[in-house]
Amino acid sequence: MEALLEKLSKIGIIPVIRIDDAEKAVPLARALLEGGIPCAEVTFRTPQAAEALKRIAQEVPQILLGAGTVLSPEQADQAIAAGASFIVSPGFNPRVVRHCLDRGIPITPGCSTPSDIEQALELGLEAVKLFPAEPLGGLEYIKALAGPYTTMKFIPTGGINAQNLVNYIKFDKVLACGGSWMVNPELINAGNFEKIKTLCQEAMLNMLGLKVVHLDITEAAKEGNQGTRGYITLGTNSPFRARAYFERMGLEFKEEFNGFTVRLIQNP
Ligand code: 3PG
C-alpha cells in the first residue's frame, strides 16, 4: 500500500477514465504516458472496463493502473484479475475496503465526511479519495478535515481541472488529484489521442509550475568558486514531483548542469 501511495504521490495526477470501446484503451494509455502522466483509473462505468484494464496492463505496463467505481468485492476481484494494481471507489463501502485489505490489494475509497474518514482510519488506511471535491467545498474543506485527522492524506476528485489543480497540489495533505478533464469520453470516442496527450502535458506542467526564478552567473564567478559557474534556481509548485517528473523523462536530476548548480525550490 505504502509503495503504491508513494508512486501516486510522485505522479500527482490520476486520470479518471470512462471507456466505451476497449479498442481505444491502448492508444489512450500511450497518450497518457507520452503526455507525462503514467497513471490511469479505468472506471467500472461501462461494460468494457475489465477488457480495457486487461489490454492496458498487457500492452502498456508502464502505466500505474487502477480500477475506479468499484462497488462490490466481486468487481474488485475482476479488476485485479484484469491487471489493476489498485482499487478506487466513489464512496466508503466497508465490505469492499475489508475485502481488498484482506487480499492485500491497495484501495483508496471515497470519503466525503468526517465519519467516513474515521471508518477509513479504523481500518488502517493512510489515504482516501475525497469525492466530490469541488461541490464539497474544495481545498477549504480538505483543510478543515486535515485539522482533526492529522495523518490522513487526500486524493481530491470531482470538479478538478487544469487550473484549480494547482491550489490543491500545493497543500501537503493532498497526495494526488484525480479527474477526467484530460480524458473526456468524447475525445476518447473520437480517437483524439493527440489532444489527450496535449491536455496531459498541460496538466502536468501546470501542476509543476516550473519556472526559472533566478539565474546567477556572475556571483559565483566573483566568488572564484571552482567548479561552479553559477546557479540556476527553478521554482516549482512541488519539488519532489518535479524531480520525479524529470526522472520519468529520462533526465536523472543532478544538482549540477553544465557547471551550473541547479536548485529546485518551492514556489511561494
Ligand atoms: C470520479 O468518479 O472520480 C469523477 O467522475 C471524476 O470527476 P470529474 O469528472 O469531475 O473530474
Side-chain angles (χ1 to χ4, degrees):
M1 185 80 180
E2 247 172 61
L4 182 267
L5 295 181
E6 192 186 336
K7 283 184 197 164
L8 283 178
S9 134
K10 282 183 172 171
I11 297 170
I13 301 173
I14 306 173
V16 178
I17 295 160
R18 184 202 142 95
I19 194 151
D20 294 307
D21 174 7
E23 287 293 325
K24 302 278 194 323
V26 169
L28 169 63
R30 294 211 169 103
L32 299 179
L33 196 61
E34 287 166 19
I37 308 182
C39 183
E41 175 191 325
V42 177
T43 59
F44 272 82
R45 291 179 203 177
T46 66
Q48 297 278 292
E51 180 61 24
L53 283 167
K54 199 165 132 201
R55 293 189 187 199
I56 297 173
Q58 275 169 4
E59 308 272 330
V60 200
Q62 304 94 315
I63 293 280
L64 184 56
L65 186 59
T69 323
V70 172
L71 303 178
S72 66
E74 295 71 29
Q75 237 170 15
D77 289 343
Q78 206 190 344
I80 296 302
S85 8
F86 66 99
I87 301 294
V88 185
S89 58
F92 192 93
N93 179 334
R95 218 160 59 86
V96 175
V97 176
R98 278 208 192 90
H99 178 78
C100 289
L101 294 179
D102 288 348
R103 284 199 57 191
I105 301 164
I107 175 161
T108 54
C111 287
S112 63
T113 64
S115 304
D116 290 343
I117 292 168
E118 289 190 25
Q119 288 202 74
L121 285 171
E122 183 107 348
L123 293 177
L125 295 181
E126 293 163 34
V128 293
K129 168 170 171 165
L130 196 277
F131 180 76
E134 279 287 298
L136 282 170
L139 184 61
E140 288 313 306
Y141 188 64
I142 298 177
K143 285 190 170 164
L145 292 171
Y149 306 118
T150 53
T151 57
M152 190 51 90
K153 295 273 177 128
F154 299 92
I155 304 176
T157 309
I160 299 193
N161 56 45
Q163 282 70 44
N164 62 16
L165 165 75
V166 174
N167 281 335
Y168 283 101
I169 217 73
K170 282 183 174 172
F171 184 46
D172 66 353
K173 301 291 178 184
V174 169
L175 186 103
C177 288
S180 65
W181 78 93
M182 78 302 273
V183 284
N184 181 314
E186 279 171 28
L187 292 176
I188 301 175
N189 288 335
N192 197 345
F193 302 114
E194 268 310 304
K195 177 74 180 171
I196 290 172
K197 179 175 152 185
T198 306
L199 289 171
C200 287
Q201 283 167 336
E202 181 190 292
M204 185 51 76
L205 292 176
N206 244 359
M207 177 184 77
L208 297 178
L210 281 164
K211 55 186 176 199
V212 175
V213 291
H214 197 64
L215 182 58
D216 185 353
I217 303 173
T218 52
E219 196 183 298
K222 272 191 249 156
E223 285 169 5
N225 196 344
Q226 292 221 338
T228 295
R229 292 170 63 199
Y231 299 94
I232 300 171
T233 306
L234 293 176
T236 170
N237 296 327
S238 179
F240 80 95
R241 293 191 180 96
R243 195 174 286 264
Y245 173 76
F246 287 129
E247 283 168 9
R248 288 199 301 274
M249 294 292 127
L251 300 167
E252 193 195 336
F253 189 83
K254 290 209 179 115
E255 288 177 352
E256 197 271 340
F257 172 74
N258 270 351
F260 284 83
T261 300
V262 183
R263 296 185 284 214
L264 269 176
I265 60 162
Q266 175 75 45
N267 283 340

